[in-house]
Amino acid sequence: LSPETIALALAAGTAMRLMAAPAVARLADRFDAPRAILALCSAAAGLIGLGYLPVQGAWALIALGVVHTAALAPLPPLSDTLALGAAAPVGSGGTPRWKFHYGWLRGCGSAAFVVGLVMSGQAIGHFGIVVIVWLNAALLLAASPVALRVPQLLASGEHSRAIASQARGLLALLR
C-alpha cells in the first residue's frame, strides 16, 4: 500500500472508532446489557476478522478494516464498565473498602498485552503472518461466551438520569 492509502486506512479506522465506541456504549446503557453487547461485539469482531484472509485490494482492505474497527472499538469501554462495577466500594460509612483494586486489574491487562505481543511474534516466526488472523478470530470468539458470565454489578435504571447530564456534558465539551 502507498503511504497515502495507509494514512487513509488509519484515518478511516480512527473515525469509525470515535463513532462506534460511544454509540455502542450508549446502546448497552439504554438496554442495560453491557455483557450481552460485549459478547456480541467480541463475536462479531472475531468473525469479521476472518475476512482478512481472502480480502484483495486496498479499498476492500480499508472497508473491512472499518467494519472490523466498528466491532472492536466498544470492547475496551464495555470491559472497563464491567470491571469498574466489580471494583466498586463495599460497606457503608467511613473509608470505602474495595472488592479489588482497579489499578491492579489494568496493570495485569497491560502485562497480558505485552506477553501476548511476544507470543504472537513467536507464533509469526513459526507459522507466518497469517497466524495473527487466526489467533485474533479464535481469541475474540472465545471471549464472547466468557463475557456473558462476567458479573454485572452496576446499578440498573440509571440511564434516564444520565441522559440529561450527558447532554450538558457534551455541550460543555463542545464549548
Side-chain angles (χ1 to χ4, degrees):
L1 299 177
S2 69
E4 294 83 9
T5 307
I6 293 170
L8 178 63
L10 293 173
T14 300
M16 178 53 76
R17 187 174 292 111
L18 289 172
M19 292 183 296
V24 173
R26 186 174 176 113
L27 186 69
D29 286 345
R30 177 169 304 279
F31 292 107
D32 194 26
R35 294 180 306 168
I37 302 284
L38 178 63
L40 180 66
C41 287
S42 181
L47 293 173
I48 293 166
L50 291 173
Y52 287 112
L53 294 171
V55 75
Q56 297 287 319
W59 292 109
L61 182 63
I62 291 170
L64 181 64
V66 167
V67 173
H68 193 225
T69 298
L72 284 172
L75 299 181
L78 290 173
S79 298
D80 277 353
T81 296
L82 292 168
L84 282 171
V90 295
S92 59
T95 305
R97 201 180 45 145
W98 296 85
K99 294 177 187 170
F100 68 88
H101 291 283
Y102 179 69
W104 281 101
L105 176 70
R106 291 302 302 252
C108 289
S110 295
F113 181 77
V114 170
V115 169
L117 284 177
V118 171
M119 290 176 66
S120 66
Q122 296 299 313
I124 290 170
H126 288 290
F127 303 108
I129 192 76
V130 74
V131 75
I132 294 303
V133 174
W134 289 108
L135 286 173
N136 179 55
L139 293 171
L140 284 166
L141 289 168
S144 183
V146 174
L148 293 172
R149 299 189 65 200
V150 173
Q152 183 175 333
L153 303 173
L154 299 174
S156 297
E158 298 292 322
H159 179 68
S160 58
R161 287 188 301 236
I163 291 176
S165 173
Q166 289 173 357
R168 286 191 301 274
L170 179 62
L171 292 174
L173 175 65
L174 292 174
R175 276 195 299 273

